């Protein structure tokens, strides 16, 4: 039998624009993953430490301290300060969006569900501050750094959880995320109140007027990045000149975005903007901040000096011990004396592991260290090393416990499946 001639296969030609758009979206989705953000931060911090302790350390420090001023706008900033005051405002912008979403459509919208993580966040910030004050008070040190061990770095924390906690209940991630949102809010308030210098009322009023204009344009449905981006930059510059830390502008703008969907919308404006900005924040803004903030000299002499510095000890113990006592203790007391209860899938050892994980205080802790010890550069460097040390130790302890908890949950799931048998 003669074989039939094969017909030519007609495959649609690939549209390079479609392929490029698909690849772009894939990269963006990848960058949104918490584990990716944590890895980017880790790489940037490691590179900063390498550069600061390498033969080219002087060149690295010279670049960090090099000024890129815009005198006409009152912006006199070094490269390092552009990263902490400018790029980090993008990180806080994302934090503002997440906070607004949690308050309107998320866990913080329901007081009953939010009670435990909210109180845990308060305890997880108050106790580390008290630990710092106690250690520094005994050692007669500088009380100005009390806020350094208060903050939790959610990118690092959720990044570690994504690696070691794949078999843990999803409720733990929700608990940590809600806790971190409240943590960010308290940190923002602390920065705004306690680290404001030389208030310029006219510049502050100008920034507030810009925020009102932003809100009115957004409320009336006015579209166009070419309107909002220049306005946001103007608000940021005015906030910087007001004496209030410029990152507060990012938070305020983020919270102005509408986080609920309209009748004909698939996603809210806040979600659309976050989808665009979050990859840049995770891949560029925060790692660049870490690149210039985490570059401290580390040697045997550094650790020898830190042992005798109550400020460094207070920060390390605040993150490593204070966070655990504050979060776990506040959660247990609330569940013990109120009607609030843990999610049914969670156990107290899970909460303990999450509390250890919250001791990873990186981005905001480094920022507050810069603000608190501006007049004492050497002490600032040592406190930054203490932040890194406390964060690494917290991550290691949390990783061990959460890995064990993941195995326990996996065994429990397998045992439950064996006893339940096949469905009828």
């Amino acid at each position: 039998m003669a074989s039939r001639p094969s017909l030519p296969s007609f495959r649609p030609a690939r549209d390079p624009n479609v392929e490029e758009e698909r690849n772009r979206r894939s990269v963006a989705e990848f960058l949104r993953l918490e584990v990716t953000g944590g890895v980017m931060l880790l790489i940037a911090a490691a590179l900063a430490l390498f550069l600061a302790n390498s033969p080219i350390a002087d060149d690295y420090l010279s670049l960090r301290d090099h000024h890129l001023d815009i005198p006409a706008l009152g912006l006199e900033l070094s490269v390092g300060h552009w990263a902490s005051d400018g790029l980090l405002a993008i990180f806080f912008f994302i934090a503002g969006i997440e906070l607004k979403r949690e308050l309107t459509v998320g866990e913080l919208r329901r007081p009953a569900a939010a009670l435990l993580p909210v109180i845990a966040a308060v305890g997880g910030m108050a106790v580390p501050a008290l630990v710092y004050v106690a250690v520094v008070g005994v050692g007669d040190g500088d009380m100005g750094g009390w806020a350094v061990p208060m903050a939790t770095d959610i990118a690092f924390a959720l990044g570690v959880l994504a690696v070691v906690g794949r078999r843990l209940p999803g409720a733990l991630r929700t608990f940590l995320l809600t806790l971190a949102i409240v943590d960010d809010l308290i940190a923002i308030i602390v920065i705004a109140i306690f680290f404001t210098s030389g208030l310029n009322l006219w510049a502050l009023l100008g920034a507030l007027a810009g925020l009102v204009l932003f809100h009115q344009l957004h409320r009336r449905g006015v579209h166009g990045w070419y309107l909002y981006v220049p306005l946001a930059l103007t608000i940021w510059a005015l906030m910087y000149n007001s004496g209030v830390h410029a990152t507060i502008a990012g938070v305020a703008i983020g919270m102005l975005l509408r986080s609920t969907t309209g009748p004909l919308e698939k996603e809210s404006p806040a979600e659309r903007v976050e989808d665009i900005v979050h990859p840049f924040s995770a891949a560029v803004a925060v790692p660049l901040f870490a690149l210039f903030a985490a570059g401290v000299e580390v040697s045997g002499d550094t650790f020898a000096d830190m042992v005798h510095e109550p400020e460094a000890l207070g920060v390390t113990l605040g993150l490593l011990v204070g966070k655990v006592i504050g979060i776990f203790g506040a959660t247990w007391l609330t569940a013990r004396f109120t009607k609030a209860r843990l999610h049914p899938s969670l156990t107290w050892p899970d909460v303990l592991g999450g509390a250890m994980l919250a001791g990873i205080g990186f981005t905001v802790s480094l920022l507050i260290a810069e603000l608190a010890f501006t007049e004492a550069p050497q002490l600032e460097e040592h406190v930054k090393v203490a932040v890194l040390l406390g964060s690494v130790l917290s991550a290691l302890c949390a990783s061990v416990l959460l890995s064990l908890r993941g195995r326990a949950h996996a065994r429990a799931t397998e045992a439950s499946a064996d006893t339940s048998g096949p469905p009828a």
Side-chain angles (χ1 to χ4, degrees):
M1 184 175 179
S3 61
R4 296 173 58 185
S6 59
L7 297 175
S9 59
F10 293 95
R11 296 182 180 177
R14 291 186 178 180
D15 186 344
N17 293 328
V18 173
E19 289 291 328
E20 182 179 354
E21 176 68 8
R22 185 181 295 114
N23 291 335
R24 186 188 66 79
R25 290 183 179 179
S26 298
V27 172
E29 290 295 333
F30 175 75
L31 292 175
R32 289 189 190 99
L33 295 173
E34 290 91 353
V35 64
T36 306
V39 169
M40 296 290 285
L41 268 178
L42 182 61
I43 292 173
L47 179 59
L49 288 171
F50 169 76
L51 292 174
N53 294 275
S54 70
I56 60 170
D58 290 341
D59 296 326
Y60 165 76
L61 296 176
S62 177
L63 173 61
R64 185 189 67 184
D65 298 333
H66 179 71
H67 268 248
L68 298 173
D69 300 336
I70 309 178
L73 300 179
L75 301 175
E76 299 180 355
L77 297 152
S78 66
V79 171
H81 284 131
W82 274 109
S84 61
D85 289 29
L87 289 176
L88 210 56
I90 301 172
F91 165 80
F92 277 94
F93 172 70
I94 298 298
I97 292 177
E98 292 176 347
L99 177 60
K100 175 70 172 292
R101 182 172 59 246
E102 289 296 320
L103 288 170
T104 54
V105 299
E107 289 294 318
L108 297 181
R109 173 176 56 91
R110 299 180 294 135
L115 182 61
L116 277 180
V118 167
I119 294 180
V122 174
M125 299 190 82
V127 175
L130 292 175
V131 169
Y132 178 91
V133 169
V135 173
V136 171
V138 172
D140 194 24
D142 188 340
M143 290 287 183
W146 60 273
V148 175
M150 291 175 66
T152 294
D153 193 297
I154 190 58
F156 260 145
L158 291 183
V160 174
L161 184 62
V163 174
V164 302
R166 295 177 182 177
R167 293 177 288 186
L168 290 168
L172 182 59
R173 183 187 184 281
T174 303
F175 180 87
L176 271 176
L177 182 59
T178 307
L179 182 152
I181 293 294
V182 179
D183 186 291
D184 283 344
L185 174 60
I186 299 175
I188 290 162
I189 294 172
V190 167
I191 292 172
I193 295 176
F194 296 99
F195 297 100
T196 294
S197 59
L199 191 65
N200 183 330
L201 185 59
W202 289 110
L204 181 59
L205 290 174
L208 294 176
L211 290 170
V212 171
L213 177 58
F214 189 102
H215 177 260
Q216 289 300 313
L217 291 173
H218 185 56
R219 181 184 178 187
R220 296 175 185 275
V222 177
H223 299 285
W225 64 268
Y226 46 84
L227 293 175
Y228 290 104
V229 172
L231 179 56
L233 292 174
T234 301
I235 294 170
W236 174 85
L238 287 168
M239 192 70 75
Y240 173 82
N241 282 284
S242 73
V244 178
H245 199 268
T247 53
I248 303 301
V251 178
I253 295 171
M255 293 195 68
L256 290 178
L257 294 178
R258 177 166 54 85
S259 58
T260 54
T261 55
L264 301 177
E265 295 178 330
K266 293 183 178 180
E267 57 182 359
S268 67
E271 289 174 314
R272 289 197 299 271
V273 174
E274 186 178 18
D275 284 345
I276 296 171
V277 179
H278 196 178
F280 178 80
S281 173
V284 179
V286 178
L288 278 178
F289 164 75
L291 181 63
F292 293 110
V296 291
E297 183 179 349
V298 179
S299 64
D301 292 337
T302 302
F303 290 108
D305 293 339
M306 287 172 57
V307 171
H308 302 289
E309 291 177 344
E311 298 86 356
L313 289 175
V315 168
T316 302
L317 292 176
L319 290 171
L320 185 61
V321 179
K323 278 287 186 181
V324 175
I325 295 174
I327 293 173
F328 186 85
T331 305
W332 186 86
L333 289 173
T334 303
R336 175 69 176 80
F337 295 105
T338 71
K339 294 182 179 180
R341 294 293 180 267
L342 287 179
H343 190 277
S345 64
L346 289 180
T347 64
W348 287 111
D350 299 332
V351 177
L352 181 61
M356 291 178 179
L357 205 57
I360 303 176
F362 190 81
T363 306
V364 179
S365 292
L366 290 177
L367 174 63
I368 295 177
E370 291 184 353
L371 299 174
F373 299 106
T374 304
E375 304 300 325
Q378 184 176 5
L379 186 56
E380 176 190 328
E381 297 287 296
H382 289 176
V383 168
K384 285 184 175 181
V385 174
V387 169
L388 298 176
L389 179 61
S391 298
V392 169
L393 292 176
S394 295
L396 291 175
C397 293
S399 297
V400 172
L401 179 56
L402 291 176
S403 295
L404 294 175
R405 292 304 306 155
R407 294 175 186 174
H409 279 284
R411 287 194 298 269
T413 301
E414 292 172 0
S416 176
D418 292 339
T419 55
S420 62

PDB file of all heavy atoms in Angstrom, residues 55-78:
ATOM      1  N   PRO A  55      40.223  44.521  49.177  1.00  0.00           N
ATOM      2  CA  PRO A  55      41.232  45.550  48.855  1.00  0.00           C
ATOM      3  C   PRO A  55      40.653  46.804  48.214  1.00  0.00           C
ATOM      4  O   PRO A  55      41.316  47.848  48.201  1.00  0.00           O
ATOM      5  CB  PRO A  55      42.167  44.812  47.877  1.00  0.00           C
ATOM      6  CG  PRO A  55      42.010  43.368  48.213  1.00  0.00           C
ATOM      7  CD  PRO A  55      40.575  43.201  48.598  1.00  0.00           C
ATOM      8  N   ILE A  56      39.448  46.723  47.680  1.00  0.00           N
ATOM      9  CA  ILE A  56      38.840  47.908  47.048  1.00  0.00           C
ATOM     10  C   ILE A  56      37.828  48.565  47.985  1.00  0.00           C
ATOM     11  O   ILE A  56      36.915  49.277  47.540  1.00  0.00           O
ATOM     12  CB  ILE A  56      38.170  47.548  45.704  1.00  0.00           C
ATOM     13  CG1 ILE A  56      37.052  46.507  45.917  1.00  0.00           C
ATOM     14  CG2 ILE A  56      39.191  47.045  44.706  1.00  0.00           C
ATOM     15  CD1 ILE A  56      36.203  46.285  44.675  1.00  0.00           C
ATOM     16  N   ALA A  57      37.985  48.345  49.289  1.00  0.00           N
ATOM     17  CA  ALA A  57      37.051  48.910  50.262  1.00  0.00           C
ATOM     18  C   ALA A  57      37.003  50.430  50.181  1.00  0.00           C
ATOM     19  O   ALA A  57      35.931  51.032  50.284  1.00  0.00           O
ATOM     20  CB  ALA A  57      37.429  48.458  51.667  1.00  0.00           C
ATOM     21  N   ASP A  58      38.159  51.050  49.980  1.00  0.00           N
ATOM     22  CA  ASP A  58      38.195  52.520  49.909  1.00  0.00           C
ATOM     23  C   ASP A  58      37.385  53.025  48.711  1.00  0.00           C
ATOM     24  O   ASP A  58      36.688  54.050  48.819  1.00  0.00           O
ATOM     25  CB  ASP A  58      39.637  53.018  49.814  1.00  0.00           C
ATOM     26  CG  ASP A  58      40.410  52.805  51.114  1.00  0.00           C
ATOM     27  OD1 ASP A  58      39.751  52.624  52.163  1.00  0.00           O
ATOM     28  OD2 ASP A  58      41.655  52.809  51.071  1.00  0.00           O
ATOM     29  N   ASP A  59      37.481  52.328  47.593  1.00  0.00           N
ATOM     30  CA  ASP A  59      36.701  52.728  46.413  1.00  0.00           C
ATOM     31  C   ASP A  59      35.206  52.552  46.670  1.00  0.00           C
ATOM     32  O   ASP A  59      34.386  53.389  46.267  1.00  0.00           O
ATOM     33  CB  ASP A  59      37.123  51.896  45.197  1.00  0.00           C
ATOM     34  CG  ASP A  59      38.559  52.143  44.802  1.00  0.00           C
ATOM     35  OD1 ASP A  59      39.022  53.293  44.958  1.00  0.00           O
ATOM     36  OD2 ASP A  59      39.224  51.194  44.363  1.00  0.00           O
ATOM     37  N   TYR A  60      34.848  51.463  47.335  1.00  0.00           N
ATOM     38  CA  TYR A  60      33.445  51.209  47.665  1.00  0.00           C
ATOM     39  C   TYR A  60      32.896  52.306  48.578  1.00  0.00           C
ATOM     40  O   TYR A  60      31.812  52.857  48.338  1.00  0.00           O
ATOM     41  CB  TYR A  60      33.321  49.844  48.336  1.00  0.00           C
ATOM     42  CG  TYR A  60      32.014  49.608  49.051  1.00  0.00           C
ATOM     43  CD1 TYR A  60      30.841  49.325  48.348  1.00  0.00           C
ATOM     44  CD2 TYR A  60      31.948  49.663  50.445  1.00  0.00           C
ATOM     45  CE1 TYR A  60      29.643  49.112  49.014  1.00  0.00           C
ATOM     46  CE2 TYR A  60      30.758  49.442  51.115  1.00  0.00           C
ATOM     47  CZ  TYR A  60      29.609  49.170  50.402  1.00  0.00           C
ATOM     48  OH  TYR A  60      28.429  48.968  51.063  1.00  0.00           O
ATOM     49  N   LEU A  61      33.643  52.646  49.627  1.00  0.00           N
ATOM     50  CA  LEU A  61      33.199  53.681  50.552  1.00  0.00           C
ATOM     51  C   LEU A  61      33.158  55.042  49.879  1.00  0.00           C
ATOM     52  O   LEU A  61      32.273  55.861  50.160  1.00  0.00           O
ATOM     53  CB  LEU A  61      34.122  53.718  51.773  1.00  0.00           C
ATOM     54  CG  LEU A  61      34.125  52.449  52.638  1.00  0.00           C
ATOM     55  CD1 LEU A  61      35.145  52.565  53.757  1.00  0.00           C
ATOM     56  CD2 LEU A  61      32.734  52.193  53.217  1.00  0.00           C
ATOM     57  N   SER A  62      34.106  55.276  48.983  1.00  0.00           N
ATOM     58  CA  SER A  62      34.116  56.545  48.254  1.00  0.00           C
ATOM     59  C   SER A  62      32.877  56.679  47.373  1.00  0.00           C
ATOM     60  O   SER A  62      32.276  57.753  47.290  1.00  0.00           O
ATOM     61  CB  SER A  62      35.385  56.641  47.401  1.00  0.00           C
ATOM     62  OG  SER A  62      35.385  57.835  46.637  1.00  0.00           O
ATOM     63  N   LEU A  63      32.496  55.582  46.733  1.00  0.00           N
ATOM     64  CA  LEU A  63      31.279  55.600  45.914  1.00  0.00           C
ATOM     65  C   LEU A  63      30.047  55.813  46.783  1.00  0.00           C
ATOM     66  O   LEU A  63      29.171  56.620  46.449  1.00  0.00           O
ATOM     67  CB  LEU A  63      31.153  54.284  45.150  1.00  0.00           C
ATOM     68  CG  LEU A  63      29.851  54.074  44.363  1.00  0.00           C
ATOM     69  CD1 LEU A  63      29.693  55.144  43.285  1.00  0.00           C
ATOM     70  CD2 LEU A  63      29.803  52.681  43.748  1.00  0.00           C
ATOM     71  N   ARG A  64      29.986  55.128  47.910  1.00  0.00           N
ATOM     72  CA  ARG A  64      28.826  55.268  48.797  1.00  0.00           C
ATOM     73  C   ARG A  64      28.673  56.685  49.328  1.00  0.00           C
ATOM     74  O   ARG A  64      27.560  57.200  49.475  1.00  0.00           O
ATOM     75  CB  ARG A  64      28.966  54.302  49.976  1.00  0.00           C
ATOM     76  CG  ARG A  64      27.762  54.256  50.899  1.00  0.00           C
ATOM     77  CD  ARG A  64      28.066  53.464  52.148  1.00  0.00           C
ATOM     78  NE  ARG A  64      29.069  54.127  52.988  1.00  0.00           N
ATOM     79  CZ  ARG A  64      29.565  53.607  54.109  1.00  0.00           C
ATOM     80  NH1 ARG A  64      29.180  52.405  54.503  1.00  0.00           N
ATOM     81  NH2 ARG A  64      30.468  54.264  54.819  1.00  0.00           N
ATOM     82  N   ASP A  65      29.811  57.354  49.595  1.00  0.00           N
ATOM     83  CA  ASP A  65      29.774  58.692  50.187  1.00  0.00           C
ATOM     84  C   ASP A  65      29.826  59.806  49.146  1.00  0.00           C
ATOM     85  O   ASP A  65      29.789  60.988  49.507  1.00  0.00           O
ATOM     86  CB  ASP A  65      30.943  58.856  51.168  1.00  0.00           C
ATOM     87  CG  ASP A  65      30.854  57.867  52.325  1.00  0.00           C
ATOM     88  OD1 ASP A  65      29.731  57.446  52.652  1.00  0.00           O
ATOM     89  OD2 ASP A  65      31.916  57.511  52.880  1.00  0.00           O
ATOM     90  N   HIS A  66      29.925  59.436  47.868  1.00  0.00           N
ATOM     91  CA  HIS A  66      29.973  60.451  46.814  1.00  0.00           C
ATOM     92  C   HIS A  66      28.629  61.166  46.712  1.00  0.00           C
ATOM     93  O   HIS A  66      27.578  60.549  46.696  1.00  0.00           O
ATOM     94  CB  HIS A  66      30.324  59.811  45.472  1.00  0.00           C
ATOM     95  CG  HIS A  66      30.374  60.781  44.341  1.00  0.00           C
ATOM     96  ND1 HIS A  66      31.382  61.714  44.215  1.00  0.00           N
ATOM     97  CD2 HIS A  66      29.537  60.977  43.279  1.00  0.00           C
ATOM     98  CE1 HIS A  66      31.174  62.436  43.122  1.00  0.00           C
ATOM     99  NE2 HIS A  66      30.052  62.014  42.549  1.00  0.00           N
ATOM    100  N   HIS A  67      28.673  62.487  46.638  1.00  0.00           N
ATOM    101  CA  HIS A  67      27.442  63.272  46.631  1.00  0.00           C
ATOM    102  C   HIS A  67      26.929  63.498  45.215  1.00  0.00           C
ATOM    103  O   HIS A  67      27.687  63.821  44.292  1.00  0.00           O
ATOM    104  CB  HIS A  67      27.664  64.626  47.319  1.00  0.00           C
ATOM    105  CG  HIS A  67      27.336  64.589  48.774  1.00  0.00           C
ATOM    106  ND1 HIS A  67      26.273  65.260  49.336  1.00  0.00           N
ATOM    107  CD2 HIS A  67      27.923  63.914  49.803  1.00  0.00           C
ATOM    108  CE1 HIS A  67      26.215  65.019  50.627  1.00  0.00           C
ATOM    109  NE2 HIS A  67      27.223  64.216  50.941  1.00  0.00           N
ATOM    110  N   LEU A  68      25.625  63.310  45.064  1.00  0.00           N
ATOM    111  CA  LEU A  68      24.905  63.627  43.829  1.00  0.00           C
ATOM    112  C   LEU A  68      23.813  64.617  44.201  1.00  0.00           C
ATOM    113  O   LEU A  68      22.669  64.250  44.470  1.00  0.00           O
ATOM    114  CB  LEU A  68      24.304  62.355  43.206  1.00  0.00           C
ATOM    115  CG  LEU A  68      25.292  61.267  42.784  1.00  0.00           C
ATOM    116  CD1 LEU A  68      24.543  60.014  42.348  1.00  0.00           C
ATOM    117  CD2 LEU A  68      26.181  61.771  41.647  1.00  0.00           C
ATOM    118  N   ASP A  69      24.180  65.882  44.236  1.00  0.00           N
ATOM    119  CA  ASP A  69      23.288  66.914  44.765  1.00  0.00           C
ATOM    120  C   ASP A  69      22.464  67.564  43.662  1.00  0.00           C
ATOM    121  O   ASP A  69      22.889  67.667  42.503  1.00  0.00           O
ATOM    122  CB  ASP A  69      24.096  68.001  45.491  1.00  0.00           C
ATOM    123  CG  ASP A  69      24.896  67.431  46.662  1.00  0.00           C
ATOM    124  OD1 ASP A  69      24.500  66.368  47.176  1.00  0.00           O
ATOM    125  OD2 ASP A  69      25.897  68.062  47.047  1.00  0.00           O
ATOM    126  N   ILE A  70      21.280  67.995  44.060  1.00  0.00           N
ATOM    127  CA  ILE A  70      20.437  68.847  43.210  1.00  0.00           C
ATOM    128  C   ILE A  70      20.092  70.066  44.060  1.00  0.00           C
ATOM    129  O   ILE A  70      19.015  70.130  44.685  1.00  0.00           O
ATOM    130  CB  ILE A  70      19.161  68.110  42.742  1.00  0.00           C
ATOM    131  CG1 ILE A  70      19.513  66.760  42.122  1.00  0.00           C
ATOM    132  CG2 ILE A  70      18.382  68.968  41.736  1.00  0.00           C
ATOM    133  CD1 ILE A  70      18.318  65.956  41.684  1.00  0.00           C
ATOM    134  N   PRO A  71      20.994  71.052  44.132  1.00  0.00           N
ATOM    135  CA  PRO A  71      20.817  72.190  45.057  1.00  0.00           C
ATOM    136  C   PRO A  71      19.517  72.951  44.836  1.00  0.00           C
ATOM    137  O   PRO A  71      18.898  73.424  45.802  1.00  0.00           O
ATOM    138  CB  PRO A  71      22.042  73.068  44.749  1.00  0.00           C
ATOM    139  CG  PRO A  71      23.045  72.137  44.156  1.00  0.00           C
ATOM    140  CD  PRO A  71      22.253  71.133  43.386  1.00  0.00           C
ATOM    141  N   ALA A  72      19.089  73.073  43.598  1.00  0.00           N
ATOM    142  CA  ALA A  72      17.874  73.833  43.312  1.00  0.00           C
ATOM    143  C   ALA A  72      16.657  73.248  44.000  1.00  0.00           C
ATOM    144  O   ALA A  72      15.696  73.967  44.313  1.00  0.00           O
ATOM    145  CB  ALA A  72      17.641  73.895  41.803  1.00  0.00           C
ATOM    146  N   LEU A  73      16.676  71.953  44.245  1.00  0.00           N
ATOM    147  CA  LEU A  73      15.546  71.288  44.892  1.00  0.00           C
ATOM    148  C   LEU A  73      15.823  70.991  46.364  1.00  0.00           C
ATOM    149  O   LEU A  73      15.020  70.309  47.026  1.00  0.00           O
ATOM    150  CB  LEU A  73      15.211  69.975  44.165  1.00  0.00           C
ATOM    151  CG  LEU A  73      14.813  70.098  42.690  1.00  0.00           C
ATOM    152  CD1 LEU A  73      14.540  68.721  42.100  1.00  0.00           C
ATOM    153  CD2 LEU A  73      13.574  70.997  42.538  1.00  0.00           C
ATOM    154  N   GLY A  74      16.954  71.474  46.870  1.00  0.00           N
ATOM    155  CA  GLY A  74      17.299  71.229  48.259  1.00  0.00           C
ATOM    156  C   GLY A  74      17.699  69.800  48.543  1.00  0.00           C
ATOM    157  O   GLY A  74      17.632  69.349  49.684  1.00  0.00           O
ATOM    158  N   LEU A  75      18.121  69.082  47.505  1.00  0.00           N
ATOM    159  CA  LEU A  75      18.488  67.677  47.658  1.00  0.00           C
ATOM    160  C   LEU A  75      20.009  67.554  47.640  1.00  0.00           C
ATOM    161  O   LEU A  75      20.639  67.630  46.589  1.00  0.00           O
ATOM    162  CB  LEU A  75      17.872  66.839  46.531  1.00  0.00           C
ATOM    163  CG  LEU A  75      16.340  66.879  46.431  1.00  0.00           C
ATOM    164  CD1 LEU A  75      15.864  66.116  45.205  1.00  0.00           C
ATOM    165  CD2 LEU A  75      15.706  66.303  47.694  1.00  0.00           C
ATOM    166  N   GLU A  76      20.586  67.386  48.813  1.00  0.00           N
ATOM    167  CA  GLU A  76      22.032  67.218  48.948  1.00  0.00           C
ATOM    168  C   GLU A  76      22.276  65.856  49.593  1.00  0.00           C
ATOM    169  O   GLU A  76      22.315  65.720  50.809  1.00  0.00           O
ATOM    170  CB  GLU A  76      22.622  68.355  49.774  1.00  0.00           C
ATOM    171  CG  GLU A  76      22.392  69.733  49.142  1.00  0.00           C
ATOM    172  CD  GLU A  76      22.981  70.858  49.960  1.00  0.00           C
ATOM    173  OE1 GLU A  76      23.496  70.579  51.073  1.00  0.00           O
ATOM    174  OE2 GLU A  76      22.924  72.011  49.498  1.00  0.00           O
ATOM    175  N   LEU A  77      22.452  64.858  48.736  1.00  0.00           N
ATOM    176  CA  LEU A  77      22.482  63.470  49.193  1.00  0.00           C
ATOM    177  C   LEU A  77      23.672  62.737  48.603  1.00  0.00           C
ATOM    178  O   LEU A  77      24.007  62.919  47.428  1.00  0.00           O
ATOM    179  CB  LEU A  77      21.196  62.746  48.782  1.00  0.00           C
ATOM    180  CG  LEU A  77      19.879  63.273  49.374  1.00  0.00           C
ATOM    181  CD1 LEU A  77      18.741  62.984  48.439  1.00  0.00           C
ATOM    182  CD2 LEU A  77      19.636  62.621  50.713  1.00  0.00           C
ATOM    183  N   SER A  78      24.255  61.865  49.426  1.00  0.00           N
ATOM    184  CA  SER A  78      25.274  60.953  48.921  1.00  0.00           C
ATOM    185  C   SER A  78      24.594  59.792  48.219  1.00  0.00           C
ATOM    186  O   SER A  78      23.367  59.630  48.294  1.00  0.00           O
ATOM    187  CB  SER A  78      26.143  60.442  50.068  1.00  0.00           C
ATOM    188  OG  SER A  78      25.366  59.637  50.938  1.00  0.00           O
TER     189      SER A  78
END
